[in-house]
Amino acid sequence: MSPSTLSVTESAPRVGLQSTALLDALHDALVSERRLLDDLIAQMRRQRSAVSADDIQGVDDSTFATHRILATLGQARTRRRQLNVLLGGTEECTLRELEEHLGDLVDDRFRDARTRLQLAADTLTREVGMNRKMLREALTTTDTHVRTLVGAPTAPSTYANEGVIAPDTGAPRGVLVNRTV
């Protein structure tokens, strides 16, 4: 049976210098992950600010930065899964399960890092939710604005209606654009 298939309760924690070094590495991994989450939180806030200011370049920049941070976060999580296995857990065991498994080897520094990481993850979840809501509203507003400009019906189209020509209702179309031109 490989170490990655062992359950948290089946393997014994490593004791001594090796476990101390591994716990230090795990602590560093948790701190690194938290910093990356903090960076993502900052990007979510920048993105909201850019959307509210109609700053397309700012939205684009924050999107690019978000992708870069997510790639780095993926690598950090791979590192943490490897440390979980080396400490006697499984790749997918939670930090709380690993803490229970390691027992007295876990110190307050580890617990603090775990708590801070969880708080950052919770904050990021809220920030992403706010961005989704704001982007949805911005898309709806833009859609309504464009429909007004071209004189299209005010109800948004569904994907099923895409490409279907609306019947001529006799209403003036493109009034705002035509007057501007």
Side-chain angles (χ1 to χ4, degrees):
M1 186 180 293
S2 71
S4 63
T5 59
L6 293 175
S7 75
V8 172
T9 57
E10 290 176 329
S11 60
R14 299 170 194 255
V15 181
L17 189 57
Q18 182 182 13
S19 62
T20 302
L22 290 173
L23 283 171
D24 286 344
L26 182 60
H27 176 265
D28 290 343
L30 298 179
V31 170
S32 295
E33 278 187 55
R34 192 203 75 235
R35 285 186 186 136
L36 289 167
L37 292 182
D38 289 343
D39 289 347
L40 278 173
I41 291 165
Q43 288 305 320
M44 293 295 105
R45 291 174 179 162
R46 282 186 195 107
Q47 189 176 66
R48 268 199 318 274
S49 176
V51 168
S52 65
D54 288 331
D55 177 7
I56 294 173
Q57 185 62 47
V59 172
D60 190 47
D61 291 346
S62 68
T63 301
F64 176 75
T66 298
H67 287 291
R68 186 176 35 83
I69 294 167
L70 287 172
T72 306
L73 185 60
Q75 294 169 351
R77 289 197 171 146
T78 298
R79 176 183 173 212
R80 181 160 48 105
R81 283 193 295 270
Q82 292 168 347
L83 289 168
N84 284 353
V85 171
L86 290 172
L87 284 164
T90 63
E91 282 189 11
E92 299 303 321
C93 71
T94 66
L95 289 173
R96 198 171 296 278
E97 290 170 341
L98 189 61
E99 183 178 341
E100 289 173 11
H101 173 69
L102 294 172
D104 293 338
L105 294 175
V106 176
D107 57 6
D108 289 336
R109 186 176 68 127
F110 172 84
R111 286 183 191 93
D112 182 58
R114 178 183 51 79
T115 300
R116 288 175 185 261
L117 178 61
Q118 184 62 51
L119 290 172
D122 293 344
T123 301
L124 179 60
T125 299
R126 283 190 301 276
E127 295 289 332
V128 167
M130 286 189 282
N131 280 31
R132 281 185 179 162
K133 181 180 178 190
M134 180 181 214
L135 289 171
R136 238 184 261 123
E137 289 170 359
L139 287 172
T140 300
T141 301
T142 300
D143 183 58
T144 302
H145 183 69
V146 169
R147 288 178 175 287
T148 301
L149 287 174
V150 298
T154 57
S157 65
T158 61
Y159 290 109
N161 293 341
E162 291 293 324
V164 176
I165 299 173
D168 187 10
T169 60
R173 300 190 65 138
V175 173
L176 185 59
V177 173
N178 290 342
R179 286 185 186 161
T180 305
V181 173

